[in-house]
Amino acid sequence: MLERDGAMGQQRAFTERPEAGLPRHIAIIMDGNGRWAKKRRLPRTMGHRAGMNALEEIVRACNDMGVQVLTVYAFSTENWKRPADEVSFLMQLLLEYMKKKLRELHEEKVKIRLLGDSEGIPEPQREAIAEAVALTADNTGLILNIALNYGARREILRACQMVAQRVRAGELKPEDITEADVEAQLFTAGLPDPDLLIRTGGEMRVSNYLLWQIAYAEVVVTDVLWPDFGRPQLLAAVDEYWRRDRRFGGLGKN
């Protein structure tokens, strides 16, 4: 588990590392907004708003660092079970984020992609996401994947169904199905798998997030609640990633 570190030390650690060791793809489970608000005796909605500010900083930091892909877990298929007023606020916050930050993200060459079932998203939010995806489609900077109405089991099931359709159409034999055939039907098709999975808030679970894609991701869990997670904490997580010996099922370096 990663603990909070000082900004200067982590900045030095980052600059001393070779660029080749930078994670290409960072995935984050942004957890702890509610607990952050509760600690301050604030409404949960204030925690979510503070979390949006944290997201802005992390997107900017990843773009500055040269990370290729950032995937953030914004709203899961299970989150619809939350109280209706909280769900409504989260959807409005998403709309606000898109309206306020889209031009800035576009100017920074950030490319926005949606991971999840767009049909289950309310129309105003769906239209805002579609506009963001279209506007930034040709951008060459950081790819920002927003996992919205997303569940990994549903994603894998959907991919299997699409592969089955190819089999039924005679395009593919069952015995010839490969991992690449499944990966081509995932929301992340064409992107590298996450090298680093960060979970804030201290919980030790992956919560139905990118189950196929994180097969060999390095997992870093921090007790820092998401609204308090900023550039120093991101650099600390990357530094922890650098310390790992990634073996991918083989033998280590030592």
Side-chain angles (χ1 to χ4, degrees), residues 11-251:
Q11 183 65 50
R12 284 197 300 272
F14 172 69
T15 56
E16 290 167 1
R17 300 289 182 172
E19 185 177 348
L22 188 70
R24 294 176 303 167
H25 185 169
I26 297 176
I28 304 180
I29 300 174
M30 307 179 293
D31 194 18
N33 291 347
R35 282 174 285 161
W36 182 92
K38 184 177 181 180
K39 283 176 63 176
R40 291 160 177 77
R41 298 182 180 179
L42 296 171
R44 285 177 61 86
T45 53
M46 296 302 293
H48 294 311
R49 184 168 295 282
M52 184 177 73
N53 295 333
L55 175 59
E56 293 177 22
E57 181 175 355
I58 295 306
V59 170
R60 190 177 301 112
C62 284
N63 204 26
D64 291 345
M65 290 163 59
V67 173
Q68 294 179 24
V69 186
L70 171 65
T71 302
V72 294
Y73 208 1
F75 194 88
S76 75
T77 51
E78 291 77 24
N79 285 156
W80 296 109
K81 300 174 185 177
R82 294 188 177 188
D85 58 345
E86 182 174 352
V87 171
S88 177
F89 181 84
L90 287 168
M91 289 296 137
Q92 285 302 120
L93 200 59
L94 171 67
L95 203 59
E96 179 182 325
Y97 179 79
M98 285 299 162
K99 287 182 177 180
K100 287 186 175 181
K101 295 298 175 181
L102 178 55
R103 290 294 167 183
E104 179 182 330
L105 292 170
H106 183 45
E107 290 173 1
E108 294 295 326
K109 305 299 182 184
V110 173
K111 181 175 183 176
I112 298 173
R113 289 179 47 157
L114 172 68
L115 270 60
D117 180 9
S118 62
E119 293 304 315
I121 301 170
E123 185 174 355
Q125 286 74 15
R126 187 168 65 247
E127 290 178 354
I129 288 285
E131 178 186 353
V133 169
L135 178 65
T136 64
D138 297 325
N139 286 350
T140 56
L142 173 73
I143 296 173
L144 174 60
N145 291 323
I146 301 175
L148 185 67
N149 195 27
Y150 173 86
R153 287 184 174 182
R154 181 181 292 184
E155 177 188 27
I156 295 169
L157 176 60
R158 169 183 172 273
C160 291
Q161 290 170 338
M162 296 177 77
V163 171
Q165 289 175 7
R166 291 186 59 199
V167 172
R168 185 169 59 184
E171 300 174 7
L172 189 65
K173 295 180 180 179
E175 60 269 24
D176 293 335
I177 296 172
T178 65
E179 289 186 8
D181 292 315
V182 178
E183 288 173 353
Q185 305 302 334
L186 298 175
F187 291 122
T188 51
L191 299 178
D193 287 340
D195 298 299
L196 172 61
L197 171 65
I198 301 170
R199 178 160 191 151
T200 64
E203 300 290 354
M204 298 287 189
R205 55 178 177 270
V206 295
S207 298
N208 197 21
Y209 186 47
L210 300 174
L211 297 180
W212 179 286
Q213 295 91 335
I214 63 172
Y216 283 103
E218 295 298 322
V219 181
V220 172
V221 177
T222 172
D223 286 328
V224 177
L225 302 174
W226 175 246
D228 291 327
F229 190 88
R231 188 180 294 253
Q233 290 75 34
L234 176 65
L235 295 178
V238 171
D239 190 59
E240 174 65 22
Y241 166 83
W242 271 320
R243 297 174 192 275
R244 305 283 179 85
D245 180 11
R246 304 189 75 198
R247 296 186 297 274
F248 299 97
L251 297 178

